[in-house]
Amino acid sequence: MGITKQYLKSKPICKVTFSVPAEDAKKVAVVGDFNNWSPKGSALKKLKNGTFKGTFDLPKEGTYEFKYIVDGNYVNEAEADRFQWNEFAGAENSVLEL
């Protein structure tokens, strides 16, 4: 798994690319407080090498909790900036700091 951040000089946003190696998966989405935890419109595209990838524009200078949904199972990003306990979920979430 991995995250790539590209800060734009012309706008107050960061292009964040999420990559999830999941050859056997049918569907992968990224959900978090930046999209109200909704998988709608946040599906990652499967590449020929079996990695799911997607890029999203997020506001700079924000902190976002997120997880991946891999075939219906919630999975944390191993390379997240940090992890944070979430009472509502009863589990740790990945945290992205921009």
Side-chain angles (χ1 to χ4, degrees):
M1 291 188 234
I3 299 172
T4 306
K5 303 173 189 174
Q6 180 186 2
Y7 293 92
L8 300 183
K9 293 179 182 176
S10 59
K11 296 179 183 176
I13 63 169
C14 179
K15 289 190 170 292
V16 181
T17 302
F18 298 94
S19 299
V20 181
E23 284 185 47
D24 298 331
K26 289 181 176 41
K27 289 174 23 178
V28 176
V30 61
V31 295
D33 45 20
F34 51 83
N35 64 2
N36 293 318
W37 296 91
S38 173
K40 191 174 185 176
S42 64
L44 304 181
K45 292 183 181 171
K46 189 169 190 176
L47 306 178
K48 289 180 183 178
N49 67 3
T51 298
F52 286 80
K53 199 170 195 176
T55 302
F56 300 87
D57 292 347
L58 300 180
K60 270 201 257 188
E61 298 177 16
T63 300
Y64 307 97
E65 289 186 38
F66 74 99
K67 283 192 180 241
Y68 299 116
I69 302 177
V70 180
D71 288 344
N73 298 309
Y74 286 88
V75 179
N76 273 325
E77 166 60 64
E79 297 177 22
D81 294 325
R82 62 184 173 87
F83 298 94
Q84 182 169 312
W85 181 260
N86 183 292
E87 260 328 299
F88 181 76
E92 272 191 339
N93 286 336
S94 303
V95 176
L96 177 66
E97 294 178 339
L98 302 178

